[in-house]
Structures are given as C-alpha cells and as structure tokens.
C-alpha cells in the first residue's frame, strides 16, 4: 500500500469517484452521468482486460448480440461470428464516445490507496438504517490517493461515494507455490505469467514460442488460447510441440448448438432456469426442483453426450469427471478454438495430467516422478483479484473482503458490501454475460445513489447473500467463483422489483418462457 505523503493532504472534492474504465467502469459512469463522476484509469485507454490482458488471438466467447449494452447495439449484431478483442475495444470506445463518458476519465491515473474518513460506527450490524445512511451524505466519506503518469507524488481526491470497477482479472497474477529449491529460480529457461505474455506484440510473441519447447500450465480459456498460439508459431519441421500441463479438467464446447438445438434453450430461458434452485425460493418450488432433478441431470448428460461425440475428449484424456452443469454453474464453460484439436492431431499440442509439479533446471518434474524438458514455461494460472482490492482498501475493510468463511466477497445484488459504507463494487460476481450484468447492476446502483429505494438492513443483506452462496455451494464444487449463471434471470427479477420495474420483460408468455434473456430486455424507455 502506498505511504501517505501528507497527514492532511490537499483535496479535490467531488460527489462520486469510479476506479477503473473497463466494461464495468464505463457502464457505471454512463448510469451516473448526471453526477459528473471522476473516473480513474491506470492505463492510457478504456477497455480494461480487453485492452491489457488479451492475446493476439483472443476473441469473445459469444455472438455480438449477447455482449452489448441495452441502449447501444452492435452495428453487426446478427453476425454469428465472435468479435476479436480489437473489435470489442472499438465497440467500448464507440459506446463511451456516443454517451460522452470519456470526459469523466482521468487516464494514466493509478489509485494507490483509499482512506475512509466517515464515521467508523456505520460498519456495525444493527440499527434502524442498516449499515448505511444516505449514499450521498453531502460531505466526503472516502479519500483516494492517485499517482499520475508514474509520478512519485500523490494527488488526493475526496468523494461522497466510490465505485470500484477494477475487476478480478489482470494486474496481479496468481503464482503457484513450490517446495524449497523447486521454484522458478531453479529453471534455466524462461518463466512468465500469461499477463506478461499479453504485453507482447505479435512478432515478439511468435519469437518467444517459435522453435521452443513450451509448457503451458492450465486448462482454462487463456491456457487453451495460448496453446493454439504456440502451435501456430511452431508449424513445419523445425517446430516443437506445446505441452499443456492440466490439473483440473473443465468441459469445453465447440459452438452454441447441441444436437442441432440452440444452447440457450438449456440454461438461459426462464423455463430452463425453473429447473434450477434459486435463492429465496418457496417450499413448493424447492420440492418441484427436487422432483425435476432427474430432468436437470438429463439435460447435463444430453449436452455431455454431444460434446463427447463432437470433440475427441476421451482420445486425449480430457473428459472431466464432474457433470457439465457444474462448469456452467461456475461460469467455467469455455469455447474451444476451431483448430485446437486439429493441432493436437498433428502433434503440435500434447497433454500432461498432473496434480502437482515443480521446476528442475531443464524443465518441469511431476508427482509421478517423470520429467519434461522445456525452454519456456507460461503460467496461465489466473489472477488474484482479492489481493488487488486489498492493496488499496484500508483496515478494517480489507479483512471484510473475505467476510464469509468460503472466502467469497459478500455483495448484495452483486454490488454492495453490507459492512463497507458508501462504496460499491461492480464486476465481481460472474455470469455468462458479464457486460450485461455489469450494466444492469450499474442501473440499480444509480437508482440507489439517487435514493429511489432504500437498502435492507445489513443483517438482511447478508442473509440474502448467504442464500445465494449456499445455492452455488450445492450445485457446483467450483462455487468459490461465485457465479449466478443458473439463476441469472431471477437475479435480474430481484433488481427490477427493487427498482420498481416490471420483472417480466418479454412481450408474450411464450417468449417469456422460451426465449433467452439479454441486455435488450432491460433497455429503459426515455
């Protein structure tokens, strides 16, 4: 955490500060436009991880119409192809320019520290008003220290309300721990994290991979894309195979169609989500979920049967032991690049299953006593989003990030921490369409800030959050990712009801039951 340069620093005072200008940050800025928010962005452009953590081959995992703002459709929204990361950044920039959001953004402004200057007692449970008073109390509650253009001096700002939109990905890599004398320092080759690889241009990335024995650690989307880029750089007789070191397998899909049926029919309609448990459901609904559980498991098996037929998962030992629905419920379903298994068939991508591994001087050693030589090891092991938050939050709030025993950050409506006053977190609970949920929560947040409704007590908010967490715990072993995919429509219903909107957004009963929900369903009429 940054050292305070001033005991009583000079302040620039405003109503609302927003940290981060990625998808969530610009969505929040647009919804809070009438308050003239100040948006701090550490880089020189908007876009967040789409700008800073994308590979040359990175694409969206859905069609444009499934990843768009409610009031700003893609110009080619009916194109079924997946946009590249460059096209996504262009779309986000067009959105920000169209709604004149860029005027709020201070680029190259890295937030180093938050200081709470409100009343400490507001974080205690109990009381008639719950944890919070007015979201805009009329005086500063938070101070923010900002480092501009790498300067050693800090500029201080003061706000009545702060919105944190720095997300869980990027910035701070999650690095595996190793036994003594078995870490990267023992390896004679090059070790880097996927975040370091993202910073390379196309030529530098190709130079790093070409003709090298490369090991990619991981089997999620970033690792899969890395393996494909490695294989493409190693075509021809001089090429070397890329080895994916896989600890936990996850289901991958080639496209959004299963035995000729559109994928949304299985999980993204109100009728399909009726098969899944949701928070606050009635006893009758609970019994119905139990009675329909064979059908729910049958849907998962139906999808698995297609994936095992379509993809050579058994051939390469890549069939997960857990049901497909557990990956969907934890937002870990990845789209497989078209040429992934083509490259595997050519021997350009090979797989090594291992629960534990460590370095030796010439490569990697595994827990089955085998060794693999390597020139380059790339850790596609994810990011430490909690640590990123803890670097800027002060005590005692830093410890409240993991208030729940599961280690999940408790957020009411995916936005408000019941024990941290006058602050919101947008972009921290996942769904299958994170742009959509970030915009919807930003709409909700703007109504809350404008005091169109009041929050429940802290106890009631925590109770609601724990119900969501327990639902996730029961339906997937990967519940710590805190994903709402199987009850996302219910989540939208709750937000609508709290803000006074009609929760049923379709034009007919049939569409309400069998068509998918997306951003366009929540477009507000002027």
């Amino acid at each position: 955490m940054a050292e305070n340069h001033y005991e009583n620093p000079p302040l620039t005072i405003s109503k609302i500060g927003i940290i981060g200008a990625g998808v969530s940050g610009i969505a929040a800025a647009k919804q809070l436009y009438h308050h003239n928010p100040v948006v701090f962005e550490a880089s020189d452009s908007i876009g967040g991880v789409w700008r800073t953590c994308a590979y040359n081959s990175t694409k969206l995992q859905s069609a444009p119409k499934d990843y768009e703002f409610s009031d700003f459709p893609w110009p080619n929204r009916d194109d079924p192809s997946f946009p590249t990361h460059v096209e996504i950044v262009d779309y986000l920039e067009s959105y920000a320019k169209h709604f004149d959001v860029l005027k709020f953004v201070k680029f190259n402004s890295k937030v180093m520290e938050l200081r709470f200057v409100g009343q400490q007692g507001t974080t205690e449970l109990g009381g008639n008003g719950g944890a919070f008073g007015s979201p805009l109390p009329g005086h500063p509650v938070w101070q923010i220290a900002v480092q501009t253009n790498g300067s050693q001096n800090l500029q201080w700002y003061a706000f009545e309300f702060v919105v944190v939109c720095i997300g869980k990905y990027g910035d701070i890599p999650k690095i595996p721990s190793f036994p003594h004398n078995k870490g990267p320092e023992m390896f004679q080759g090059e070790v880097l994290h996927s975040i370091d690889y993202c910073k390379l241009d196309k030529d530098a990335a190709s130079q790093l991979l070409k003709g090298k024995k490369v090991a990619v650690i991981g089997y999620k989307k970033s690792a899969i894309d890395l393996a494909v880029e490695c294989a493409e750089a190693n075509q021809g007789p001089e090429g070397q195979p890329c080895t994916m070191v896989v600890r936990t397998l996850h289901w991958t899909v080639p496209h959004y169609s299963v035995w000729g049926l559109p994928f949304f029919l299985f999980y993204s309609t109100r009728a399909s989500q009726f098969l899944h448990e949701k928070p606050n459901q009635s006893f009758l609904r609970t019994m119905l979920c139990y009675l329909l559980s064979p059908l729910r498991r049958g849907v998962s098996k139906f999808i698995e049967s297609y994936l095992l037929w379509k993809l050579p998962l058994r051939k390469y030992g890549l069939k997960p032991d857990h049901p497909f629905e557990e990956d969907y419920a934890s937002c870990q379903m990845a789209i497989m690049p078209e040429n992934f298994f083509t490259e595997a068939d050519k021997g350009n991508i090979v797989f090594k299953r291992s629960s534990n591994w460590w370095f030796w001087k010439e490569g990697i050693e595994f827990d089955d006593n085998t060794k693999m030589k390597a020139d380059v090891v790339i850790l596609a092991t994810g990011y430490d989003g909690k640590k990123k938050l803890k670097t800027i939050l002060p005590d005692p709030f830093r410890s409240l990030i993991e208030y729940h025993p599961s280690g999940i950050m408790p957020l009411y409506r995916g936005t408000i921490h019941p024990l941290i006053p006058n602050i919101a977190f947008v972009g921290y609970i996942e769904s299958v369409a994170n742009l959509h949920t970030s915009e919807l929560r930003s709409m909700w947040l703007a109504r809350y800030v404008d005091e169109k409704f009041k929050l429940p007590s802290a106890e009631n908010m925590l109770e609601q959050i724990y119900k969501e967490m327990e639902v996730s715990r029961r339906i997937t072993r990967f519940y710590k990712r805190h994903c709402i995919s199987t009850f996302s429509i219910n989540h939208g219903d709750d937000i609508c009801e709290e803000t006074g909107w009609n929760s049923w957004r379709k034009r007919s009963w049939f569409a309400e039951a069998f068509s998918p929900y997306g951003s366009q369903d929540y477009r507000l009429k002027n």
Side-chain angles (χ1 to χ4, degrees):
M1 185 170 68
E3 294 292 333
N4 298 333
H5 286 207
Y6 307 97
E7 187 66 28
N8 295 294
L11 301 173
T12 301
I13 298 176
S14 188
K15 279 189 176 183
I16 295 177
I18 299 174
I19 306 176
V23 170
S24 298
I26 61 173
K30 191 263 183 181
Q31 297 300 324
L32 294 165
Y33 186 98
H34 53 295
H35 290 292
N36 295 308
V38 179
V39 183
F40 301 107
E41 170 54 44
S43 71
D44 60 0
S45 63
I46 68 170
V49 293
W50 286 114
R51 172 78 74 173
T52 60
C53 293
Y55 309 149
N56 295 300
S57 62
T58 298
K59 292 185 176 182
L60 186 65
Q61 294 198 82
S62 58
K65 63 182 180 181
D66 296 322
Y67 194 84
E68 64 182 2
F69 292 103
S70 62
D71 50 5
F72 195 74
W74 283 76
N76 57 337
R77 68 186 309 267
D78 293 323
D79 187 341
S81 62
F82 299 162
T84 66
H85 67 96
V86 174
E87 292 173 317
I88 296 168
V89 172
D90 288 344
Y91 170 75
L92 297 176
E93 288 180 341
S94 297
Y95 172 84
K97 291 175 182 177
H98 180 80
F99 291 105
D100 200 22
V101 169
L102 291 177
K103 68 180 181 182
F104 301 131
V105 183
K106 292 182 176 294
F107 292 107
N108 298 306
S109 300
K110 183 177 181 180
V111 171
M112 305 300 291
E113 177 185 353
L114 272 70
R115 177 190 292 177
F116 183 69
V117 293
Q119 295 182 358
Q120 196 71 37
T122 58
T123 63
E124 297 176 358
L125 289 175
N128 295 328
F132 310 112
S134 171
L136 296 177
H139 57 81
V141 175
W142 288 96
Q143 293 178 1
I144 297 180
V146 178
Q147 186 181 71
T148 304
N149 288 320
S151 170
Q152 294 303 308
N153 297 320
L154 299 181
Q155 184 173 358
W156 287 84
Y157 296 78
F159 299 99
E160 298 176 43
F161 197 92
V162 172
V163 188
V164 180
C165 302
I166 57 177
K168 300 193 294 184
Y169 303 107
D171 296 324
I172 299 181
K174 186 178 292 184
I175 304 296
S177 58
F178 301 98
H180 181 61
N181 288 333
K182 293 184 178 181
E185 71 281 357
M186 301 298 296
F187 180 48
Q188 296 174 349
E190 186 171 359
V191 180
L192 65 160
H193 190 272
S194 56
I195 193 173
D196 303 309
Y197 182 86
C198 290
K199 298 174 184 177
L200 302 176
D201 61 30
K202 188 172 183 178
D203 290 338
S206 179
Q207 188 66 28
L208 172 73
L209 303 173
K210 189 174 183 179
K212 307 285 182 61
K213 296 183 180 72
V214 179
V216 175
I217 312 299
Y219 189 65
K220 294 182 182 178
K221 181 59 178 173
S222 60
I224 291 170
D225 286 346
L226 261 172
V228 172
E229 290 204 5
C230 181
E232 290 175 344
N234 280 279
Q235 300 295 311
E238 301 299 321
Q240 296 285 342
C242 172
T243 301
M244 295 193 74
V245 179
V246 182
R247 183 178 66 176
T248 303
L249 291 170
H250 294 285
W251 290 96
T252 57
V253 297
H255 43 66
Y256 288 113
S257 177
V258 178
W259 296 119
L261 298 174
F263 188 85
F264 69 76
L265 287 177
F266 303 104
Y267 290 107
S268 302
T269 66
R270 194 175 288 277
S272 63
Q273 292 205 342
F274 194 77
L275 299 176
H276 299 271
E277 185 179 357
K278 69 173 186 176
N280 296 318
Q281 66 184 17
S282 65
F283 175 76
L284 179 61
R285 171 72 182 268
T286 301
M287 292 302 299
L288 197 56
C289 276
Y290 175 77
L291 293 174
L292 294 175
S293 59
L295 179 58
R296 184 178 66 249
R297 289 192 293 269
V299 168
S300 184
K301 289 291 186 184
F302 181 74
I303 296 172
E304 291 166 31
S305 70
Y306 176 76
L307 298 179
L308 292 173
W309 171 78
K310 184 70 174 179
L311 303 175
L313 301 180
R314 288 195 177 99
K315 174 182 177 181
Y316 291 108
L318 299 177
K319 177 185 177 298
D321 295 327
H322 57 269
F324 173 84
E325 65 178 341
E326 290 196 38
D327 275 342
Y328 184 85
S330 56
C331 296
Q332 296 194 98
M333 181 189 73
I335 293 290
M336 184 66 74
E338 290 181 7
N339 58 335
F340 181 82
F341 284 113
T342 301
E343 294 297 335
D345 289 340
K346 293 191 297 185
N348 292 333
I349 300 176
V350 297
F351 308 95
K352 172 65 179 180
R353 295 290 309 281
S354 179
S355 298
N356 293 291
W357 61 274
W358 48 88
F359 287 96
W360 65 296
K361 65 177 182 178
E362 294 186 54
I364 296 175
E365 185 175 356
F366 302 100
D367 52 6
D368 61 0
N369 296 321
T370 61
K371 292 183 177 181
M372 181 189 75
K373 290 185 177 182
D375 301 308
V376 179
V377 176
I378 306 179
L379 305 172
T381 49
Y383 301 91
D384 196 333
K386 292 176 189 173
K387 186 176 181 180
K388 183 160 60 165
L389 279 176
K390 289 178 180 179
T391 59
I392 62 173
L393 282 176
D395 284 327
F397 307 118
R398 188 181 296 119
S399 61
L400 296 177
I401 293 298
E402 299 178 293
Y403 183 84
H404 190 268
S406 68
I408 298 173
M409 181 163 64
L411 293 176
Y412 179 73
R413 301 296 182 238
T415 308
I416 295 293
H417 193 302
L419 303 178
I420 308 182
N422 294 77
I423 195 169
F425 302 85
V426 181
Y428 287 87
I429 296 180
E430 296 184 68
S431 72
V432 292
N434 288 326
L435 181 147
H436 161 54
T437 48
S438 287
E439 183 189 29
L440 186 58
R441 290 167 187 159
S442 295
M443 292 176 175
W444 176 90
L445 177 63
R447 273 72 182 166
Y448 163 63
V449 169
D450 292 340
E451 299 192 68
K452 301 294 185 183
F453 64 91
K454 292 187 179 296
L455 294 176
S457 68
E459 294 97 326
N460 289 341
M461 285 193 285
L462 285 170
E463 181 182 3
Q464 170 66 21
I465 293 164
Y466 292 163
K467 286 179 180 178
E468 291 183 9
M469 291 180 178
E470 286 306 309
V471 168
S472 297
R473 184 193 292 269
R474 284 192 289 270
I475 61 180
T476 176
R477 70 196 68 190
F478 307 112
Y479 62 91
K480 290 187 178 182
R481 287 181 61 91
H482 204 178
C483 167
I484 63 163
S485 61
T486 58
F487 54 91
S488 59
I489 296 176
N490 175 74
H491 181 81
D493 290 347
D494 289 339
I495 285 178
C496 288
E497 290 168 5
E498 204 157 39
T499 52
W501 304 330
N502 183 5
S503 59
W504 283 41
R505 315 292 295 180
K506 304 289 188 180
R507 294 183 178 180
S508 68
W509 284 86
F510 184 84
E512 192 68 52
F514 300 110
S515 63
Y517 259 81
S519 297
Q520 294 297 314
D521 294 302
Y522 295 93
R523 181 169 185 172
L524 301 180
K525 296 180 180 179
N526 295 327

